[in-house]
Amino acid sequence: MNDCGQTSTPKDSASAKDYKNALDYMLSGLNTYVRDTDLSPQVAALYKPGTIFRSKNPADISSHIGGMSTSHRFLILSNHIIDLTEPEQNADRGHCATPSESRFLALDAYEYHGKTQITLLHLLDDERWRYFIDAVPAAPELEIDAIRINFSAICEQQPIGDLASEEWLDCCSDPIGVNPQGELYSPEPKSAEALWSVFYTNFRRFVGRVVYLTPGEDDDGSWLKVTQRDDIHAVLAYAYIDYEHGMSFRYLCPAKVENDRWVLSKADDTIVIIRAGALKKARWCPTDIDPAAFGEIAAEIDALYKPSSAVETLRKLETIDHLRESLFPDDIFAFLIGPQCKSLELVWLRLCDWQDGTIYGSLLNEPDNNWGIHRGDVLPIVFSVNNGSLVSAIFVDELEKR
């Protein structure tokens, strides 16, 4: 990336159009986040502008931006982070995280008065990241001069107390995307190398694939006991969405990794379903194994759990992903809003229909307040942008008019 904001794009018209669509989607709702740490000169030098790399693990970041107590700051530009602010206790850190296996494009490295800011653009989590291998993006949101001026001003501010605590800085001590050999991870994962967190993975990466599942750090592997075998330490499973039970994995056979390859044991006839809720500490990676290699299991699952056309369409809506329950991708949260917007309540709904441009959800919990609606009611959902973020709501007074 040069300082003049010039850009290169794919040359043929079809690719140029795809590139522009990808860029527009990546910049829509773009927000800024920071991760402050101390880097050695050798590690800091890895983030050369124009470099694309992969971060295997989630990275703790903050939406609060103030002065620095460290030597280096990662400035992350993203529209698809994981919001972790709700579980925060006794601190206001604006705690967020990047998903595991995120890809980043290094845009700039700038030093000001002994402080260095490394600017990273969070690329799309699908194959469209490849558009930016040979095409450097340019947009007002990515103007390097403006980013540098803003950093210079922020450096004059005092650090935010909760972001300068020993506990938080320890969470942010590791550089982003650096492997044990001290190099940046390649954007292309090696076979059986890309083990990442089940909990932090978007459901679309799972569905319809044969995946490798193994216990992660601090994971006792108790979920493997459902196979009723004590000699299994990892498995292959077929991933699908159960409308009622969320992300699920049909056990296929035991497996292990040797020399970046999967070594499979003979498939057995055990019918075991592993729910994603049991895999919060587990790790996974995709395989290139054709589901047909396991007979009709995948085809039978796909037929049994085939969603309605409306639900299938709603699963493709990436714009509402931040509203979804991570393990139950058909469930979103919304606000019940009372007359004249004087009261509200947070509820969960299961997306069930889409008619005439209106999305409908079935209410999953009985409201605490007497709204005149109850669990199981199918309600129209209204979406709007509030402070740059998409929010969902049900206007109760509008329901009464219906």
Side-chain angles (χ1 to χ4, degrees):
M1 180 89 179
N2 57 43
D3 295 345
C4 300
Q6 294 178 348
T7 182
S8 59
T9 58
K11 296 185 183 303
D12 64 272
S13 58
S15 296
K17 181 178 179 181
D18 291 340
Y19 169 85
K20 184 179 185 306
N21 289 339
L23 180 61
D24 289 345
Y25 187 87
M26 189 167 57
L27 298 181
S28 176
L30 197 70
N31 289 308
T32 56
Y33 306 88
V34 293
R35 177 182 173 93
D36 290 349
T37 189
D38 295 310
L39 301 179
S40 68
Q42 294 79 9
V43 171
L46 296 175
Y47 302 95
K48 295 181 175 63
T51 301
I52 294 178
F53 64 95
R54 178 171 51 94
S55 178
K56 284 188 62 173
N57 299 313
D60 291 302
I61 56 179
S62 174
S63 59
H64 298 341
I65 303 177
M68 296 171 59
S69 60
T70 60
S71 61
H72 290 77
R73 162 169 290 173
F74 289 104
L75 180 73
I76 294 129
L77 311 177
S78 175
N79 64 1
H80 54 292
I81 56 88
I82 301 166
D83 188 341
L84 299 175
T85 55
E86 186 174 338
E88 287 187 320
Q89 296 179 352
N90 304 320
D92 182 16
R93 295 171 176 151
H95 191 185
C96 302
T98 61
S100 57
E101 293 300 316
S102 290
R103 293 180 177 88
F104 298 95
L105 170 63
L107 296 179
D108 186 47
Y110 175 62
E111 182 179 351
Y112 177 80
H113 289 183
K115 305 286 187 180
T116 299
Q117 177 172 272
I118 298 167
T119 302
L120 305 177
L121 178 61
H122 193 183
L123 299 179
L124 298 171
D125 61 2
D126 55 35
E127 291 303 301
R128 290 176 292 177
W129 71 268
R130 299 179 188 279
Y131 291 138
F132 303 96
I133 294 176
D134 297 316
V136 180
E141 301 93 328
L142 307 179
E143 285 291 339
I144 296 303
D145 285 345
I147 291 173
R148 290 181 172 184
I149 290 171
N150 190 50
F151 175 63
S152 301
I154 289 174
C155 279
E156 304 299 331
Q157 300 177 12
Q158 290 297 315
I160 297 172
D162 286 331
L163 300 183
S165 69
E166 182 178 350
E167 179 185 10
W168 177 253
L169 292 178
D170 184 59
C171 292
C172 301
S173 59
D174 292 332
I176 297 177
V178 175
N179 66 23
Q181 291 73 45
E183 303 169 341
L184 292 176
Y185 280 105
S186 165
E188 295 280 10
K190 298 178 182 178
S191 297
E193 176 265 335
L195 292 176
W196 60 88
S197 167
V198 171
F199 183 74
Y200 286 102
T201 301
N202 185 284
F203 68 95
R204 295 184 191 88
R205 292 189 177 182
F206 291 129
V207 176
R209 287 182 168 184
V210 175
V211 300
Y212 175 84
L213 298 173
T214 188
E217 187 178 355
D218 298 325
D219 183 352
D220 61 8
S222 58
W223 51 272
L224 287 168
K225 297 186 183 299
V226 296
T227 62
Q228 300 181 351
R229 291 178 54 174
D230 295 329
D231 60 334
I232 295 180
H233 304 290
V235 301
L236 291 189
Y238 182 71
Y240 65 98
I241 298 176
D242 182 320
Y243 192 59
E244 294 293 328
H245 298 96
M247 273 305 313
S248 302
F249 300 84
R250 167 64 156 86
Y251 163 68
L252 297 173
C253 71
K256 61 181 178 179
V257 176
E258 290 181 357
N259 299 322
D260 285 342
R261 291 293 181 267
W262 291 277
V263 179
L264 310 183
S265 300
K266 183 179 178 181
D268 56 46
D269 297 327
T270 306
I271 300 177
V272 172
I273 305 300
I274 304 171
R275 305 298 183 189
L279 301 172
K280 290 188 175 180
K281 294 183 179 180
R283 311 285 284 178
W284 81 285
C285 65
T287 75
D288 55 1
I289 300 173
D290 187 341
F294 297 92
E296 299 298 318
I297 292 177
E300 291 171 357
I301 287 175
D302 290 345
L304 184 61
Y305 294 98
K306 181 176 177 59
S308 67
S309 59
V311 170
E312 188 170 19
T313 298
L314 293 172
R315 287 177 181 173
K316 296 177 182 178
L317 288 182
E318 299 179 16
T319 53
I320 64 172
D321 279 0
H322 65 290
L323 304 175
R324 299 180 191 269
E325 208 287 334
S326 59
L327 304 180
F328 289 77
D330 295 317
D331 299 352
I332 70 168
F333 66 85
F335 292 97
L336 294 178
I337 299 179
Q340 288 79 51
C341 300
K342 292 183 178 179
S343 57
L344 58 80
E345 179 180 342
L346 183 67
V347 294
W348 285 91
L349 302 106
R350 181 158 293 152
L351 300 176
C352 61
D353 203 0
W354 190 2
Q355 297 182 20
D356 300 325
T358 299
I359 296 175
Y360 293 85
S362 174
L363 190 60
L364 291 175
N365 58 289
E366 187 68 20
D368 293 333
N369 298 306
N370 183 17
W371 300 90
I373 55 177
H374 303 280
R375 179 179 178 180
D377 287 351
V378 175
L379 306 171
I381 307 171
V382 175
F383 295 88
S384 62
V385 176
N386 183 29
N387 293 328
S389 297
L390 189 71
V391 295
S392 55
I394 294 102
F395 288 91
V396 178
D397 53 343
E398 293 295 325
L399 296 177
E400 295 171 352
K401 293 178 182 178
R402 290 158 47 90

